[in-house]
Amino acid sequence: MPAHTSFAPTDTLTAAVAGPAERSRLDVAGELLALLGETTTEPRPDAQLEALTLAVAADLPVLLWGEPGIGKTAALTQLATALDLPLTTVIASVHEPSDFSGLPVPGDDPAEHGVPMAPPDWAVRLVRAGRGLLFLDELSTAPPAVQAALLRLVLERRIGALQLPPGVRIVAAANPRSSAADGWELSPPLANRFVHLHWTHDHEVVVRGLGGVWPRATLPRLDPGRLPEAVDLARRAVCGLLSARPALVHRLPGNETRRGGAWPSPRSWDMTLRLLAFATAAGSSREVLSLLVRGAVGDGPGLELLAALDRMDLPDPESLLADPVAAVLPERGDLRQAALDAVVDAVRRRPERARWDAAWALLARALETGAPDLVVVPATTLASLRREDWDVPASIDRLAGAVSLSRRADRAAARAAERPASGTGAGR
């Protein structure tokens, strides 16, 4: 008779054998996840990232608008890491108004000392740290009552009885109402407290980032020697525009959706002035400056300010007329055209033979150093200002040739544009 042999239950044996194996597999999975999470950064021109860092440096609240999954949260996480700021994320839509205005906590004698408003734990942590990046996510899904409670936090940096330290920066993110879960339009008072940046994806950045290398977010380098100049330029540009266009000082849009974006008010013009000074001191590009000013006061007023800046960069027409041979004209075509038009306008206002001759000499110089078509309109207008006793300058022959050639080219282009239409009609 065979000896009796006892066996452990099947599930016990399975657990004994599978336990270490399962743990080992999870360890391997963890290693793979760690490898996937290993990324690096590189300096790469990125206008929207530079605009974001510039607004953060200027200590202005920023609101990133973009479709879900576009990378807004990832950009903020990377920004906090690059700037060595602790990141505090608050999902606005899952909080009550009291979470931002403070919870009432009665003391020993409320009649004597009142009822203090206790701040939430995340605000206390920010105060203790003395610095940080406060990220208000899903702002467009916050109901109106929560948006009203956020007003004081965004503008005054206060939560209940607590004042956030100067080292804390505020950035928010929102989806357009059409793609937000139970989305709301932003209230005009809250919207007017932010610099609005529309976040889009660059496929090259995404592809390179998925390959392990993302753009590096760095604070702009401000030139200490340009600070007074930057402030002066910003003040002259903003004040000059608003003096000429007083209707732009405050313009609340009539459309509800536009009220939830950037629009001009004394508050947003103050933000624009600060952004313009920072962009000037940092030597930022035109594209970055455009994103910032349009994000503060809206597209229309922002573009008017950019045009005003262009006019400020134009050379004085009287200086050009005083020494046309040594005159330095703008390189950009639209600015050169504006400078030449201003010279002709100056001659029209004070028509003198010497000034008329100097304007022709300047147009001849423009013909030598730039596109011929830019002198067509100024030359035609200047010719109409000639008095009977004024001799035609020798340089006008070259200019006349350029004008004639340009007009022939325009007529040829017009005929070429008409030809397909007439040919189509003939073939019917």
Side-chain angles (χ1 to χ4, degrees):
M1 186 175 182
H4 177 72
T5 305
S6 61
F7 294 93
T10 303
D11 53 351
T12 305
L13 279 173
T14 302
V17 174
E22 288 297 329
R23 286 194 299 272
S24 175
R25 290 173 185 174
L26 288 177
D27 289 343
V28 173
E31 292 178 13
L32 180 56
L33 290 172
L35 287 173
L36 287 169
E38 290 181 1
T39 60
T40 185
T41 60
E42 64 178 356
R44 180 188 178 96
D46 189 320
Q48 62 182 7
L49 188 58
E50 184 180 344
L52 171 60
T53 56
L54 199 64
V56 168
D59 196 16
L60 293 173
V62 185
L63 176 53
L64 305 182
W65 288 95
E67 298 295 336
I70 204 74
K72 302 184 296 295
T73 303
L76 263 296
T77 303
Q78 197 265 331
L79 175 66
T81 302
L83 303 183
D84 192 27
L85 291 174
L87 178 65
T88 299
T89 301
V90 177
I91 309 297
S93 58
V94 300
H95 285 269
E96 298 292 332
S98 57
D99 294 335
F100 300 105
S101 58
L103 291 166
V105 181
D108 295 336
D109 190 353
E112 177 82 15
H113 303 289
V115 178
M117 305 297 285
D121 60 339
W122 55 264
V124 174
R125 290 197 301 271
L126 280 171
V127 171
R128 286 176 179 169
R131 56 199 295 273
L133 185 64
L134 174 57
F135 179 32
L136 302 173
D137 203 3
E138 305 294 348
L139 199 63
S140 55
T141 59
V146 173
Q147 292 188 28
L150 283 168
L151 292 174
R152 200 176 184 204
L153 166 61
V154 175
L155 185 63
E156 301 177 20
R157 312 294 175 91
R158 294 192 70 89
I159 306 110
L162 198 65
Q163 177 74 53
L164 293 180
V168 174
R169 300 293 193 265
I170 296 178
V171 180
N175 301 321
R177 184 176 181 178
S178 59
S179 57
D182 295 325
W184 300 77
E185 297 291 359
L186 249 60
S187 67
L190 183 60
N192 199 237
R193 284 162 164 79
F194 283 102
V195 177
H196 299 254
L197 296 179
H198 293 273
W199 206 255
T200 58
H201 77 277
D202 181 334
H203 75 281
E204 292 183 2
V205 171
V206 173
V207 171
R208 188 153 177 78
L210 293 175
V213 183
W214 293 97
R216 182 178 304 152
T218 57
L219 285 178
R221 294 184 179 274
L222 305 178
D223 184 352
R226 297 191 66 185
L227 302 188
E229 170 198 343
V231 173
D232 177 66
L233 173 67
R235 286 178 173 164
R236 284 191 295 115
V238 172
C239 294
L241 174 64
L242 298 184
S243 296
R245 298 274 282 120
L248 292 181
V249 172
H250 188 277
R251 180 186 286 175
L252 180 64
N255 180 279
E256 182 186 5
T257 301
R258 291 183 178 178
R259 288 184 179 186
W263 47 274
S265 73
R267 178 191 296 122
S268 58
W269 279 115
D270 181 64
M271 294 193 299
T272 302
L273 193 151
R274 189 188 303 188
L275 290 168
L276 179 53
F278 267 76
T280 302
S284 298
S285 68
R286 170 84 170 203
E287 182 181 4
V288 171
L289 181 59
S290 176
L291 291 174
L292 290 170
V293 299
R294 289 162 52 211
V297 293
D299 289 339
L303 291 173
E304 287 199 44
L305 178 62
L306 293 173
L309 285 168
D310 286 341
R311 290 193 294 271
M312 290 174 62
D313 287 338
L314 293 177
D316 178 28
E318 295 297 336
S319 299
L320 296 177
L321 288 170
D323 190 2
V325 176
V328 177
L329 293 168
E331 293 292 333
R332 239 175 66 187
D334 57 335
L335 298 184
R336 174 171 288 215
Q337 180 84 67
L340 296 176
D341 289 341
V343 166
V344 174
D345 188 60
V347 175
R348 179 192 290 110
R349 289 196 305 270
R350 185 155 61 91
E352 297 174 1
R353 169 66 186 275
R355 292 163 61 80
W356 191 71
D357 288 343
W360 282 115
L362 187 67
L363 291 179
R365 181 170 176 77
L367 182 65
E368 296 170 355
T369 59
D373 58 318
L374 295 179
V375 305
V376 173
V377 173
T380 303
T381 307
L382 187 62
S384 67
L385 301 178
R386 177 177 175 266
R387 303 289 175 85
E388 292 184 1
D389 56 337
W390 291 357
D391 295 333
V392 177
S395 59
I396 203 171
D397 292 335
R398 284 180 296 156
L399 290 164
V403 170
S404 176
L405 180 61
S406 177
R407 287 177 173 171
R408 287 200 301 271
D410 288 342
R411 287 194 293 268
R415 286 195 299 271
E418 292 172 359
R419 199 169 295 132
S422 60
T424 302
R428 288 177 182 167

